[in-house]
Amino acid sequence: MSQTMQEKPLIDVRTVPPAERHPRIFGMLNALLPGGSMLITSDHDPRPLHYQLEMHFSGMFGWEYLEEGPEVWRVEIERLQNSGCDCCCGSDH
């Protein structure tokens, strides 16, 4: 992934109330320019978030585990360069 660690937005969801986690993450993802990435730190495997990204934004984001537990998971999510929407919804997501 392209940016250095210091330049990437970071969210540590361990400090965010559970109901606010995904809305905050999606807000940060929407702000990323193509080629940009962000880091997520969690106390559990964020696999449900990965499934949600794939279901609603298929092909728009890359996902890379940087650390995989058992106490801390770290993931880098990159907004892909070619992330245009190919669906019929008419949105540019």
Side-chain angles (χ1 to χ4, degrees), residues 16-92:
V16 178
E20 296 177 22
R21 291 175 182 176
H22 284 201
R24 283 195 195 181
I25 291 167
F26 282 107
M28 293 173 73
L29 289 171
N30 285 333
L32 288 176
L33 296 174
S37 62
M38 65 175 285
L39 302 170
I40 296 174
T41 301
S42 180
D43 59 359
H44 64 279
D45 187 348
R47 187 175 310 202
L49 175 66
H50 190 199
Y51 291 149
Q52 193 174 8
L53 278 173
E54 286 299 311
M55 189 168 73
H56 296 291
F57 304 99
S58 180
M60 291 182 64
F61 296 98
W63 181 278
E64 180 181 351
Y65 282 100
L66 304 176
E67 188 172 344
E68 295 184 65
E71 295 180 23
V72 174
W73 279 259
R74 291 179 49 244
V75 174
E76 183 173 2
I77 303 174
E78 179 180 17
R79 185 172 199 124
L80 302 176
Q81 294 287 344
N82 185 12
S83 60
C85 175
D86 290 334
C87 69
C88 61
C89 70
S91 174
D92 63 358

